[in-house]
Amino acid sequence: MIVLGIETSCDETSAAIVRDGVYVLAHETVSSLKEHSAFGGIIPEIASRRQMEYIRPVVAASLQKARLTLKQINSIGVTSTPGLIGSLLVGLCFARGLARALQKPLREIDHIQAHLYANFLRRPGESSLVFPALPAVGLVVSGGHTSLFDVRNFQDIRLLGQTKDDAAGEAFDKVGRILGLGYPGGPLIDRLAKKGRNADIRFPQAVLKNSFDFSFSGVKTAVLYYVRKHQHEKSFSLPKVAYAFQESLVSTLVEKSLAACQSTGANTILVGGGVAANSVLRSRLVQEGQTQGITVHFPPLEFCLDNAAMIAGLSGCSL
Ligand code: KG4
Ligand code: ZN
């Protein structure tokens, strides 16, 4: 079973070929991210215009890399929600037209669930790797979403909680802007914080008792006020602020994910989304999970960020 996946939910135009819901034969992604950096966020009109230009060559390049022709594809999977409406429409219209012309089935895929499914993707030579055990708790942390799920299997996924305001990635990006680092802030803060380990600064964590919901706008505002108050002092250190912000945000993600395991009885955590690339989240969640007998899975870095391989994979999955 060979699936062509198409993903255009945000700034990226991505196509991938996945065999049997697992083996990634090819994946190609082009992003318009650089064009948005001057604005500190994605401009939807720029994103969708670029996607209209990129979609044909990106699909063609993925087929070429997999050494396949369109006729050899068994079905098509495409992101249908959530995302920027103009961007989603580019991928959806292209995929619908292609499926009709080729007379192949089309499956519309939820982008968030696909982020969790990214943990099951393999390279063709990696057949001996063990798949994550289900049921699991799913943590999706991206620029637009922060949600916890009870994943019984990929037909039965229940939302446990989500952010009430900023998504984790959005908080990273906004704090990146406050610190004058540029966009996207996540990877820049991750790097800078490595040089700022300290216990002098502590930013608050929103607890939201008896709930799996999150709130990150408070910590973002606390960083803003701290910077305004202290930025002209001699001891002011950007790496220290970045470190303290990251500690606050990551601690909340770790605590809520482990509490969700306690509540559902799952011994597995599946993490997905761009913030899953964060080095401190990766090490803290694995370490603290281990102490409670919980195995934590992160997708390889290339499949943490938005990509069509996770869309093609979930489209062809039998879990
Ligand atoms: O999943 P994704 O590619 O796009 C969305 O669907 O939103 O996630 C992008 C987000 C951005 O907010 C970016 O700052 C964040 O992921 N990100 C990170 C890291 N790498 C990317 N956040 C924290 N640490 C990182 N290393
Ligand atoms: Zn995403």
Side-chain angles (χ1 to χ4, degrees):
M1 166 85 163
I2 304 225
V3 180
L4 164 66
I6 294 174
E7 149 71 38
T8 58
S9 66
C10 193
D11 57 283
E12 71 299 324
T13 309
S14 184
I17 315 287
V18 174
R19 177 160 48 81
D20 299 332
V22 174
Y23 299 108
V24 183
L25 305 183
H27 74 110
E28 290 291 311
T29 303
V30 181
S31 166
S32 57
L33 197 61
K34 275 199 184 128
E35 291 182 62
H36 307 276
S37 57
F39 305 100
I42 304 295
I43 306 296
E45 186 65 22
I46 297 179
S48 56
R49 278 171 191 266
R50 287 292 172 254
Q51 281 156 331
M52 282 174 61
E53 286 171 37
Y54 296 157
I55 184 108
R56 262 181 69 121
V58 165
V59 168
S62 71
L63 284 162
Q64 200 181 23
K65 241 190 184 161
R67 296 170 193 270
L68 292 170
T69 64
L70 276 175
K71 285 198 176 138
Q72 292 169 290
I73 299 298
N74 299 111
S75 71
I76 299 173
V78 61
T79 307
S80 60
T81 190
L84 303 172
I85 189 68
S87 294
L88 287 170
L89 274 172
V90 174
L92 264 169
C93 292
F94 188 87
R96 283 179 186 158
L98 197 58
R100 202 177 169 119
L102 296 170
Q103 308 249 308
K104 310 262 173 172
L106 175 73
R107 223 176 131 184
E108 296 186 5
I109 297 293
D110 181 295
H111 177 90
I112 302 296
Q113 296 184 1
H115 267 307
L116 296 176
Y117 187 78
N119 287 286
F120 291 82
L121 296 174
R122 301 283 179 265
R123 287 288 179 191
E126 295 175 335
S127 53
S128 62
L129 290 182
V130 181
F131 288 110
L134 295 177
V137 160
L139 171 68
V140 178
V141 270
S142 71
H145 301 273
T146 301
S147 315
L148 272 172
F149 296 93
D150 177 8
V151 185
R152 309 315 290 178
N153 56 60
F154 280 87
Q155 272 31 272
D156 183 5
I157 299 182
R158 190 169 59 96
L159 181 69
L160 295 172
Q162 60 189 330
T163 183
K164 294 280 185 200
D165 38 58
D166 290 344
E170 190 181 357
F172 267 106
D173 295 337
K174 286 178 176 170
V175 167
R177 198 151 32 143
I178 292 168
L179 301 184
L181 300 178
Y183 178 84
L188 301 168
I189 289 176
D190 192 355
R191 214 173 309 143
L192 190 66
K194 289 190 201 311
K195 294 181 273 178
R197 197 181 175 84
N198 76 99
D200 315 342
I201 313 169
R202 282 190 96 93
F203 291 120
Q205 271 178 261
V207 181
L208 304 181
K209 269 193 184 152
N210 301 322
S211 159
F212 292 117
D213 287 337
F214 300 90
S215 167
F216 296 118
S217 68
V219 61
K220 169 199 70 187
T221 310
V223 173
L224 177 67
Y225 288 164
Y226 181 91
V227 171
R228 276 192 192 156
K229 191 167 170 197
H230 298 285
Q231 62 187 329
H232 300 301
E233 293 170 11
K234 243 188 180 169
S235 60
F236 181 77
S237 151
L238 276 184
K240 279 188 170 184
V241 178
Y243 175 88
F245 160 72
Q246 185 170 263
E247 278 298 297
S248 162
L249 192 139
V250 167
S251 300
T252 307
L253 294 176
V254 171
E255 285 161 23
K256 294 247 172 189
S257 305
L258 295 177
C261 284
Q262 293 255 312
S263 162
T264 63
N267 293 321
T268 307
I269 297 178
L270 303 174
V271 190
V275 182
N278 184 267
S279 63
V280 177
L281 177 64
R282 289 175 97 92
S283 61
R284 285 268 303 277
L285 201 51
V286 168
Q287 262 169 26
E288 297 190 25
Q290 244 165 18
T291 64
Q292 301 186 22
I294 293 163
T295 311
V296 183
H297 297 269
F298 288 89
L301 285 179
E302 59 184 330
F303 300 135
C304 283
L305 299 174
D306 288 345
N307 68 88
M310 65 186 192
I311 304 299
L314 182 53
S315 179
C317 112
S318 52
L319 292 170

